C-alpha cells in the first residue's frame, strides 16, 4: 500500500527582523507611517531623526533653518516623543533609534513615554546607535569632544544594565565607514577598535560579574556593498574576530556573550542617480551578503529605497524594499538550510585574508592608544581610500552600470509624474516651531530650571547622566536645552576634516589641470583660492572632502573648515580670505533656504563677482531655482568626474569669465 501522506515541510530558521528606516516631517506624520509599515508586516521600528535633533538643537535654532523634518523626524521634547509613538505599545516593540550625540536624551524621552503608557521598562527592547567614534570619522553629528562622548556612551550602557536589561545600549556602526570609502579591512578594524574602546571604559562602570553580560549586549550595525562575496566573507571575519577579542582581551567564557550580533543597512553609496531603476538589483544583491551565510546572518535588515540618490523615498518605495526582504525570507528555501559556505576553500581563504588585514590595522591603532586617540589618523585614511575609490570609477577600472558603462538607455517610467521622490512641505518647519513655542509657554519653568541645574551638576561631577536626563525629560526640558548643558560642561568639538593643505602624491594625470591652475593664478596675481563650505547641519562630508582633496592636488589654495557652518560664517570667510570661487555641499535636502540666504549675504557683502557652485542631491526643479538665486554651476551624484569639475572651477575663476 502506497503511503500518500504529505511529507512534513522542512524546519525553517526564524527570519531576521524586517526594518524600514523611517521618519520625516513631524512626529504625527511619522507615527502614521510607522503604524502603516507595521500593518504591512514590518517587525521592528527603525527611527530616523532630523539633523537638529541629532546634533542637539531645537527646531528654532539658527543652524536648524531648512533642516527641520528633512532627513528624519524632529523631536524637541516629551510631547513630540508622545506623538511619535501614539497608539504603538512600546513594551511590545523592538525599536532601533539611529541617534548618537543625543542618545542619552532620546532614550530618556523614550523611557518617559513608555512609563506614561504603563509599560514595564525592564521589558523594553531595542537599540540606540550611540556610536560617537564614527560620527567624528564620517557622519558628523557629534557635539562634545571624544572623551566625554565616550563617557556618555558608557553611561547609557551602565544604566541599561540596571534598568533595561533587554536593551542594546550601543550599536558599533561601521555602516558610515564604508559610505566614507573604507576598505573591508578598514571597516573591520575601525569598528572593532571602537567596540574595544567602549568596553575598556565600560569595564570601569559595571561590577566584574556583570561585565560578560554587558559584552553580550554590544551590537553592531554594518554595511554590505555590491561585491557581495567579499562582503559575505567580511561578515564571517567580523564574527570570528569579535569572538577572538572577547575571549582573549576580556576573558569572556560564555559563547552567547561573544556572539557577533548585528543589523545591517545595505550600501547607499553605490546607489546611482543615473538609471536609478538599476538600484533595485543592487539592493537585492547586497542583501545576499548578510542573509546567505547562516553563521554570519544579520539579526535585523533594513534596505534603502531605489531612489535615495534622487531624494527622500515615498512610502511606496519603502514598501518595495520591505517586500524584497519578505520574498527572500518566505518564498525561497534559504532558511531551511545550515550554513552554505562552511568548508568552502575560497571563502575560508578570503576570510583569513581579511582577518589578517584587519589585525594589522588594529595593531596600528593599538600602538596609537586606541580608537579615541587615533581619530585623526582614521579620518585621513578614509579620505584617502575614498579618493582611490572615486579615481578607479573615473578611470573606468571599476565598472558602474549606467554611470561609466552602458550609459544610454530608455527613460525610466519610475521617475515620471512626481519625479519619484517625496518632498517635505516647507510649512512643516513653521508648524514645528509654533508647537515648540507653545510647549515652552505651557511648562513649569521652575521645574525645568531645577532639572537643568541637576543635569549640569551631575555632568560636571562625572556622574551617570541618565537619571538626571530622564527627570529633565519629564520636567519638559527641550533637546536644545539638554545639549546646551553638555556643550557648557564639556565644550563643543570640531572634528578633523582628513584633508591637509599639503598636496598628496596623487598628481599623476592632473598635469593639464595643474597647468591651467598655474595659468589662471598668474592672471589673478596670486594662487587660485577655492573655498569649500558645508552650510547647515548636514554631516555627510564625503563629497566636500573629495572636492577639496582633488582641488588641493590640482594646485589650488583650498580652504575647507569642515561641517556645520552658517551661511553668515561662510560669506565672512570668503570675504576675509579673498576667495575666487565658493563651493557648497549639501545633501540633507535643505539646499534651497540655505543657499538663498547665502546668496543674499554674498550680495550684501559685495561679493557678486565671486562665483558659487553647489553640489548635492538636487532635483531638476530645485536646480532651476538655485540658478535663479545666482548659482553658477550645480553638480549632483551623476557628476562623478572630478577633473571636469576642477576645470569648471578654473574657468569660473578666470578673470575674463568672472567679469562677464
Amino acid at each position: 500500500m502506497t503511503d500518500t501522506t504529505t511529507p512534513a515541510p522542512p524546519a525553517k530558521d526564524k527570519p531576521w527582523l524586517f526594518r524600514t528606516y523611517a521618519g520625516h516631517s513631524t512626529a504625527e506624520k511619522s507615527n502614521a507611517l510607522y503604524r502603516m509599515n507595521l500593518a504591512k508586516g514590518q517587525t521592528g521600528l527603525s527611527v530616523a531623526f532630523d539633523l537638529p535633533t541629532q546634533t542637539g538643537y531645537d527646531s528654532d535654532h539658527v543652524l536648524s533653518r531648512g533642516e527641520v523634518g528633512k532627513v528624519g523626524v524632529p523631536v524637541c521634547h516629551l510631547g513630540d516623543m508622545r506623538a511619535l509613538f501614539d497608539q504603538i505599545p512600546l513594551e511590545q516593540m523592538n525599536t532601533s533609534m539611529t541617534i548618537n550625540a543625543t542618545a542619552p536624551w532620546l532614550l530618556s524621552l523614550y523611557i518617559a513615554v513608555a512609563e506614561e503608557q504603563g509599560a514595564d521598562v525592564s521589558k523594553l527592547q531595542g537599540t540606540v546607535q550611540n556610536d560617537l567614534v564614527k560620527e567624528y570619522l564620517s557622519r558628523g553629528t557629534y557635539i562634545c569632544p571624544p572623551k566625554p562622548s565616550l563617557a556618555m556612551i558608557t553611561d547609557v550602557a551602565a544604566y541599561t544594565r540596571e534598568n533595561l536589561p533587554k536593551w542594546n545600549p550601543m550599536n558599533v556602526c561601521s555602516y558610515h565607514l564604508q559610505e566614507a570609502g573604507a576598505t573591508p579591512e578598514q571597516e573591520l578594524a575601525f569598528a572593532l577598535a571602537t567596540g574595544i574602546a567602549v568596553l575598556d571604559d565600560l569595564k570601569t562602570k559595571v561590577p566584574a560579574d556583570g561585565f560578560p553580560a554587558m559584552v553580550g549586549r554590544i551590537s553592531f550595525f554594518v554595511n554590505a556593498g555590491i561585491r557581495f562575496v567579499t562582503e559575505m566573507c567580511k561578515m564571517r571575519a567580523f564574527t570570528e574576530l569579535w569572538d577572538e577579542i572577547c575571549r582573549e582581551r576580556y576573558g569572556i567564557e560564555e559563547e552567547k556573550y561573544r556572539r557577533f550580533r548585528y543589523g545591517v543597512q545595505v550600501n547607499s553609496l553605490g546607489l546611482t542617480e543615473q538609471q536609478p531603476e538599476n538600484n533595485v538589483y543592487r539592493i537585492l544583491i547586497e542583501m545576499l551578503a548578510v542573509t546567505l551565510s547562516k553563521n554570519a546572518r544579520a539579526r535585523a535588515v533594513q534596505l534603502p529605497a531605489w531612489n535615495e540618490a534622487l531624494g527622500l523615498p515615498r512610502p511606496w518605495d519603502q514598501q518595495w524594499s520591505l517586500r524584497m526582504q519578505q520574498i527572500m525570507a518566505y518564498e525561497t528555501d534559504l532558511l531551511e538550510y545550515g550554513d552554505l559556505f562552511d568548508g568552502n576553500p575560497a571563502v575560508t581563504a578570503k576570510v583569513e585574508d581579511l582577518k589578517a588585514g584587519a589585525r594589522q590595522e588594529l595593531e596600528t591603532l593599538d600602538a596609537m592608544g586606541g580608537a579615541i586617540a587615533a581619530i585623526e589618523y582614521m579620518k585621513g585614511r578614509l579620505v584617502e581610500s575614498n579618493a582611490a575609490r572615486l579615481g578607479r570609477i573615473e578611470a573606468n577600472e571599476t565598472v558602474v552600470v549606467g554611470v561609466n558603462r552602458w550609459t544610454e538607455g530608455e527613460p525610466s517610467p519610475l521617475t515620471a509624474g512626481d519625479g519619484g521622490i517625496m518632498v517635505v512641505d516647507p510649512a512643516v518647519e513653521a508648524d514645528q516651531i509654533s508647537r515648540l513655542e507653545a510647549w515652552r509657554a505651557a511648562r513649569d519653568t521652575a521645574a525645568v530650571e531645577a532639572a537643568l541645574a541637576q543635569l549640569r551638576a551631575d555632568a560636571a561631577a562625572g556622574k551617570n547622566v541618565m537619571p538626571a536626563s530622564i527627570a529633565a525629560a519629564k520636567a519638559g526640558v527641550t533637546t536644545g536645552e539638554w545639549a546646551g548643558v553638555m556643550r557648557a560642561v564639556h565644550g563643543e568639538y570640531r572634528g578633523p576634516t582628513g584633508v591637509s593643505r599639503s598636496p598628496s602624491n596623487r598628481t599623476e594625470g592632473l598635469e593639464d589641470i595643474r597647468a591651467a591652475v598655474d595659468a589662471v593664478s598668474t592672471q589673478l596675481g596670486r594662487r587660485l583660492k577655492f573655498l569649500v563650505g558645508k552650510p547647515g547641519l548636514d554631516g555627510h562630508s564625503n563629497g566636500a572632502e573629495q572636492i577639496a582633496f582633488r582641488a588641493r592636488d590640482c594646485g589650488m589654495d583650498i580652504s575647507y573648515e569642515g561641517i556645520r557652518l552658517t551661511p553668515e560664517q561662510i560669506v565672512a570667510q570668503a570675504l576675509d580670505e579673498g576667495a575666487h570661487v565658493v563651493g557648497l555641499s549639501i545633501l540633507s535636502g535643505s539646499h534651497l533656504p540655505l543657499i538663498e540666504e547665502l546668496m543674499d549675504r554674498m550680495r550684501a557683502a559685495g561679493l557678486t563677482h565671486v562665483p558659487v557652485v553647489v553640489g548635492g542631491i538636487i532635483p531638476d526643479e530645485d536646480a532651476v531655482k538655485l540658478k535663479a538665486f545666482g548659482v553658477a554651476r550645480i553638480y549632483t551624484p551623476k557628476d562623478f568626474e572630478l577633473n571636469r569639475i576642477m576645470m569648471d572651477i578654473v574657468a569660473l575663476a578666470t578673470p575674463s569669465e568672472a567679469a562677464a
Side-chain angles (χ1 to χ4, degrees):
M1 184 173 174
T2 305
D3 185 2
T4 58
T5 307
T6 304
K12 295 185 75 166
D13 290 332
K14 188 178 177 183
W16 53 91
L17 279 173
F18 306 147
R19 284 193 173 127
T20 304
Y21 184 48
H24 65 87
S25 304
T26 65
E28 290 81 3
K29 289 181 179 177
S30 295
N31 171 264
L33 179 63
Y34 296 159
R35 288 194 282 127
M36 179 176 68
N37 286 345
L38 289 168
K40 288 177 182 174
Q42 185 175 301
T43 51
L45 293 175
S46 183
V47 183
F49 296 99
D50 74 355
L51 287 172
T53 304
Q54 291 184 49
T55 51
Y57 294 107
D58 286 333
S59 296
D60 58 355
H61 191 278
V62 62
L63 275 169
S64 300
R65 182 161 187 253
E67 306 280 15
V68 176
K70 282 279 168 53
V71 302
V73 59
V75 174
C76 287
H77 48 72
L78 185 60
D80 284 341
M81 194 64 108
R82 275 186 202 129
L84 186 62
F85 294 110
D86 182 41
Q87 299 179 60
I88 297 176
L90 296 186
E91 190 175 308
Q92 299 171 28
M93 285 294 107
N94 190 309
T95 305
S96 171
M97 292 192 281
T98 302
I99 198 69
N100 295 281
T102 52
W105 175 241
L106 271 297
L107 180 58
S108 296
L109 290 170
Y110 189 87
I111 290 168
V113 169
E115 288 181 354
E116 288 182 350
Q117 290 185 355
D120 180 347
V121 171
S122 69
K123 293 181 180 177
L124 294 180
Q125 295 184 71
T127 304
V128 279
Q129 193 164 95
N130 203 22
D131 174 3
L132 267 297
V133 175
K134 71 92 175 50
E135 296 301 318
Y136 303 121
L137 297 180
S138 54
R139 183 61 188 83
T141 67
Y142 51 79
I143 296 174
C144 297
K147 285 188 178 178
S149 295
L150 178 64
M152 281 188 266
I153 291 172
T154 52
D155 279 357
V156 169
Y159 185 84
T160 59
R161 189 191 82 83
E162 295 284 344
N163 300 282
L164 286 79
K166 295 184 176 182
W167 195 269
N168 298 317
M170 198 256 183
N171 197 222
V172 180
C173 182
S174 71
Y175 175 83
H176 292 288
L177 301 180
Q178 188 177 134
E179 296 290 295
T183 64
E185 293 85 353
Q186 288 170 341
E187 186 181 343
L188 285 162
F190 295 177
L192 293 169
T194 299
I196 289 168
V198 169
L199 290 179
D200 284 355
D201 193 70
L202 182 59
K203 206 169 184 179
T204 67
K205 293 187 177 182
V206 299
D209 61 353
F211 182 69
M214 286 309 301
V215 173
R217 295 245 55 91
I218 300 295
S219 60
F220 288 73
F221 187 74
V222 306
N223 203 323
I226 194 67
R227 292 170 56 81
F228 79 97
V229 177
T230 296
E231 293 293 281
M232 185 269 291
C233 293
K234 180 190 75 182
M235 296 321 308
R236 292 171 74 93
F238 252 135
T239 64
E240 293 175 23
L241 285 168
W242 185 243
D243 182 82
E244 185 180 295
I245 288 165
C246 291
R247 263 188 300 108
E248 296 180 6
R249 189 181 183 99
Y250 299 110
I252 306 300
E253 295 178 2
E254 299 94 328
E255 187 275 334
K256 66 179 180 178
Y257 294 145
R258 302 196 307 266
R259 195 172 298 143
F260 183 81
R261 300 178 310 118
Y262 79 97
V264 65
Q265 172 161 322
V266 306
N267 190 282
S268 293
L269 181 67
L271 302 184
T272 64
E273 179 184 2
Q274 304 94 313
Q275 301 179 17
E277 62 278 4
N278 297 342
N279 293 332
V280 175
Y281 305 115
R282 292 186 176 106
I283 292 164
L284 179 59
I285 289 166
E286 289 164 354
M287 184 172 67
L288 297 178
V290 294
T291 55
L292 281 182
S293 174
K294 179 177 178 177
N295 291 348
R297 185 170 293 149
R299 290 169 60 92
V301 176
Q302 61 192 43
L303 301 180
W306 67 278
N307 54 352
E308 284 193 12
L310 306 178
L312 286 174
R314 303 157 299 185
W316 182 88
D317 307 312
Q318 294 180 323
Q319 174 185 289
W320 200 7
S321 289
L322 175 62
R323 294 292 181 252
M324 232 185 273
Q325 295 202 57
Q326 291 166 330
I327 290 167
M328 177 68 79
Y330 292 108
E331 292 193 21
T332 77
D333 57 353
L334 174 66
L335 297 178
E336 296 171 14
Y337 293 91
D339 195 279
L340 305 177
F341 302 100
D342 280 355
N344 182 301
V347 168
T348 300
K350 184 62 177 176
V351 170
E352 290 304 316
D353 187 47
L354 290 170
K355 285 164 60 179
R359 285 194 191 100
Q360 189 173 0
E361 193 71 77
L362 277 167
E363 287 173 10
T364 300
L365 298 176
D366 210 33
M368 291 179 171
I372 299 298
I375 283 169
E376 191 163 354
Y377 162 79
M378 291 190 287
K379 179 68 175 179
R381 293 274 284 154
L382 290 176
V383 172
E384 289 172 5
S385 295
N386 207 16
R389 180 189 70 84
L390 287 170
R392 289 191 295 271
I393 294 173
E394 283 185 274
N396 289 335
E397 293 171 17
T398 297
V399 173
V400 183
V401 174
V403 174
N404 60 7
R405 292 279 296 275
W406 306 292
T407 55
E408 299 301 317
E410 298 297 320
S412 172
L414 292 177
T415 54
D418 62 2
I421 59 171
M422 184 183 74
V423 178
V424 175
D425 185 346
V428 160
E429 187 164 321
D431 292 345
Q432 172 68 11
I433 290 171
S434 68
R435 283 192 297 275
L436 173 61
E437 290 169 346
W439 176 268
R440 288 190 188 120
R443 64 188 182 172
D444 182 338
T445 305
V448 167
E449 289 176 355
L452 288 171
Q454 186 62 56
L455 178 65
R456 190 176 297 108
D458 285 4
K463 293 183 179 178
N464 192 312
V465 298
M466 284 299 297
S469 296
I470 295 169
K474 294 175 179 177
V477 165
T478 68
T479 297
E481 289 166 341
W482 181 89
V485 168
M486 298 304 144
R487 287 182 167 97
V489 172
H490 301 301
E492 193 155 8
Y493 184 71
R494 288 198 69 77
T497 65
V499 183
S500 72
R501 290 179 179 269
S502 305
S504 74
N505 56 5
R506 299 177 188 273
T507 56
E508 186 179 345
L510 301 180
E511 292 83 5
D512 290 349
I513 307 174
R514 289 173 65 86
V517 170
D518 287 344
V520 77
S521 297
T522 300
Q523 289 180 267
L524 293 166
R526 58 189 173 94
R527 184 59 42 183
L528 192 166
K529 182 72 176 181
F530 181 39
L531 170 62
V532 180
K534 290 250 342 141
L537 295 176
D538 171 35
H540 286 103
S541 56
N542 303 337
E545 288 158 4
Q546 292 308 313
I547 291 291
F549 192 95
R550 182 67 59 87
R552 176 202 67 192
D553 287 355
C554 288
M556 298 182 203
D557 177 9
I558 60 142
S559 185
Y560 173 55
E561 298 301 323
I563 62 172
R564 222 179 295 172
L565 299 171
T566 63
E568 183 180 13
Q569 288 171 317
I570 293 170
V571 172
Q573 190 179 358
L575 189 62
D576 291 346
E577 298 186 3
H580 295 115
V581 180
V582 173
L584 306 174
S585 170
I586 307 174
L587 285 91
S588 63
S590 59
H591 42 267
L592 288 177
L594 287 173
I595 292 170
E596 183 177 24
E597 180 186 345
L598 184 135
M599 296 306 289
D600 287 345
R601 289 183 179 278
M602 290 286 280
R603 278 187 287 274
L607 295 176
T608 52
H609 62 287
V610 177
V612 174
V613 300
V614 175
I617 298 175
I618 299 169
D620 291 343
E621 58 270 27
D622 286 2
V624 173
K625 294 174 184 174
L626 293 180
K627 285 179 179 174
F629 296 158
V631 172
R633 298 280 191 281
I634 294 164
Y635 303 101
T636 65
K638 70 177 181 296
D639 299 300
F640 67 96
E641 295 174 295
L642 299 191
N643 287 351
R644 185 175 64 78
I645 297 173
M646 295 301 110
M647 289 304 289
D648 287 351
I649 292 165
V650 170
L652 288 169
T654 301
S656 58
E657 177 153 340

